[in-house]
Amino acid sequence: MTSFLYFMPLRTIQGSTIATRGQNDSSVAEFILLGFSAFPELQWQMFGAFLVIYLVTLIGNALIITIIFLDQSLHIPMYLFLQNLSVVEMSFSAAITPEVLVVLTTEKATISFGGCFAQMYFILLFGGTECFLLGAMAYDRFAAICHPLSYPVIMNKRVFVKLVVFSWVSGIMVATVQTTWVFSFPYCGHREINHLFCETPPVLELACADTFLFEVYAFTGTILIVMVPFLLILLSYIRILFAILKMPSTTGRQKAFSTCASHLTSVTLFYGTASITYLQPKSRYSPDTKKLMSLAYTLLTPLLNPLIYSLRNKEMKRVVVKLWQRKVALHTA
């Protein structure tokens, strides 16, 4: 979601002059990712830290996907949504971090025009999908806590599949429209992207054409894609809070809170880091500060989500212990 979360100031470029110049120049075949080239002494330390984070992210999310797949008791909407979320987080990290590691270990890191297109596409796809998945997970918790008796009907298999498919299709549509539009602009002359990966704003700065209409679309699309799921989450949890407070049993309230704790923590992490990172006035920060803030968001969320769901969820811990005991029994038999 990083690319469309930038609220870029709307700007008008003298399109006719630049477009004419672009037609006379040769098109850009590849881009140069500058990364942290101004701080070469820190790059190897950052490489080591980011590599560890990347491996832990992949292993953590892969374990959640595997555990839910192997245990039939977890084949319910709550955990199947979590499985999809882990696929998104793992894929999101895989779309960004390998390129970041290459940039940190290469004096002049280049990425082809097609490679830049693909990276931006997948960043947008997985980011958009995550927004809608978190909204669907909030609706699932709302149905389970506020309407427990009719929950099997409200969240049946067909509804679950529709919500998952809608989330993925929405991510695909966002990525297809935005990436295709960004790379339809002519890119000529200057080809240095002052970033670690192909994110929309730094790439768009190199376009030699009028991008005003795209920026209007990007701003509007951000409001719809980010705020609509967020409002759904907010309304769901307001209803959930009132329902929990009405419960006569303290045990019942604690159980209801525990089923929501992991998702609520994940939502807070996702929207909190995104807001701090991308909804601040850009003029306040240097380019290198923006890169660090962007990395904090793109690396932390995929890393911490599996930890949140595995450490705060008793059912997940129970299944992990059961699978481990089964594995030990098979080896000792």
Side-chain angles (χ1 to χ4, degrees):
M1 190 173 63
T2 55
S3 293
F4 56 73
L5 269 171
Y6 262 108
F7 279 87
M8 297 175 289
L10 299 181
R11 56 187 172 88
T12 305
I13 301 176
Q14 294 176 347
S16 57
T17 304
I18 298 176
T20 303
R21 187 185 68 199
Q23 290 170 357
N24 295 331
D25 293 344
S26 58
S27 299
V28 172
E30 63 180 15
F31 297 104
I32 298 171
L33 293 165
L34 296 181
F36 289 104
S37 54
F39 305 96
E41 68 281 0
L42 297 177
Q43 294 198 160
W44 280 106
Q45 289 92 323
M46 286 190 285
F47 172 84
F50 295 163
L51 179 60
V52 170
I53 290 171
Y54 180 53
L55 293 176
V56 173
T57 298
L58 292 184
I59 293 169
N61 283 290
L63 280 173
I64 286 181
I65 294 167
T66 305
I67 289 166
I68 294 172
F69 176 78
L70 291 176
D71 196 275
Q72 288 291 328
S73 67
L74 299 181
H75 290 188
I76 58 176
M78 177 181 172
Y79 293 102
L80 294 176
F81 277 126
L82 173 58
Q83 189 177 47
N84 274 270
L85 184 64
S86 291
V87 170
V88 168
E89 297 287 25
M90 189 166 63
S91 304
F92 184 73
S93 183
I96 295 175
T97 313
E99 186 63 39
V100 172
L101 296 175
V102 170
V103 171
L104 290 173
T105 55
T106 309
E107 187 175 339
K108 189 177 180 181
T110 60
I111 185 169
S112 67
F113 194 86
C116 194
F117 179 99
Q119 187 178 54
M120 186 183 295
Y121 183 90
F122 286 118
I123 290 171
L124 288 165
L125 188 159
F126 298 125
T129 302
E130 182 165 358
C131 282
F132 290 103
L133 270 178
L134 289 172
M137 292 170 78
Y139 176 71
D140 173 67
R141 291 299 83 211
F142 160 75
I145 293 171
C146 298
H147 304 283
L149 297 179
S150 53
Y151 173 73
V153 177
I154 296 173
M155 189 56 68
N156 57 45
K157 185 178 179 180
R158 182 178 296 179
V159 172
F160 164 76
V161 170
K162 284 182 178 179
L163 288 171
V164 170
V165 170
F166 174 80
S167 299
W168 282 98
V169 169
S170 298
I172 291 169
M173 289 175 62
V174 169
T176 302
V177 172
Q178 183 157 323
T179 311
T180 304
W181 197 344
V182 168
F183 283 90
S184 69
F185 293 117
Y187 291 88
C188 42
H190 187 59
R191 60 194 184 104
E192 292 182 342
I193 300 174
N194 194 12
H195 207 52
L196 286 146
F197 48 91
C198 286
E199 205 169 28
T200 301
V203 172
L204 203 61
E205 288 176 2
L206 307 184
C208 43
D210 186 349
T211 60
F212 178 78
L213 280 179
F214 173 82
E215 291 175 12
V216 172
Y217 152 79
F219 182 84
T220 308
T222 299
I223 297 297
L224 293 175
I225 296 161
V226 177
M227 294 309 297
V228 170
F230 179 74
L231 288 174
L232 175 63
I233 293 167
L234 187 63
L235 291 172
S236 296
Y237 274 104
I238 289 172
R239 293 287 302 274
I240 288 169
L241 179 62
F242 281 115
I244 291 175
L245 292 176
K246 290 179 182 178
M247 291 179 180
S249 167
T250 304
T251 306
R253 286 198 295 270
Q254 289 175 344
K255 186 177 180 181
F257 271 123
S258 68
T259 63
C260 298
S262 297
H263 177 255
L264 196 55
T265 306
S266 183
V267 168
T268 304
L269 175 68
F270 182 80
Y271 282 98
T273 54
S275 299
I276 293 170
T277 306
Y278 295 105
L279 303 187
Q280 299 290 331
K282 298 302 158 197
S283 58
R284 290 176 54 185
Y285 305 113
S286 67
D288 289 319
T289 303
K290 294 175 191 176
K291 293 173 200 174
L292 284 172
M293 293 172 70
S294 179
L295 283 174
Y297 167 71
T298 55
L299 293 177
L300 282 181
T301 306
L303 170 69
L304 295 179
N305 262 347
L307 296 176
I308 291 167
Y309 281 98
S310 58
L311 295 177
R312 295 186 66 96
N313 192 293
K314 292 180 181 179
E315 190 66 17
M316 286 290 292
K317 288 188 281 189
R318 182 192 65 79
V319 171
V320 169
V321 172
K322 186 178 77 172
L323 291 173
W324 177 257
Q325 289 174 343
R326 186 187 300 173
K327 182 179 179 180
V328 171
L330 286 172
H331 280 288
T332 56

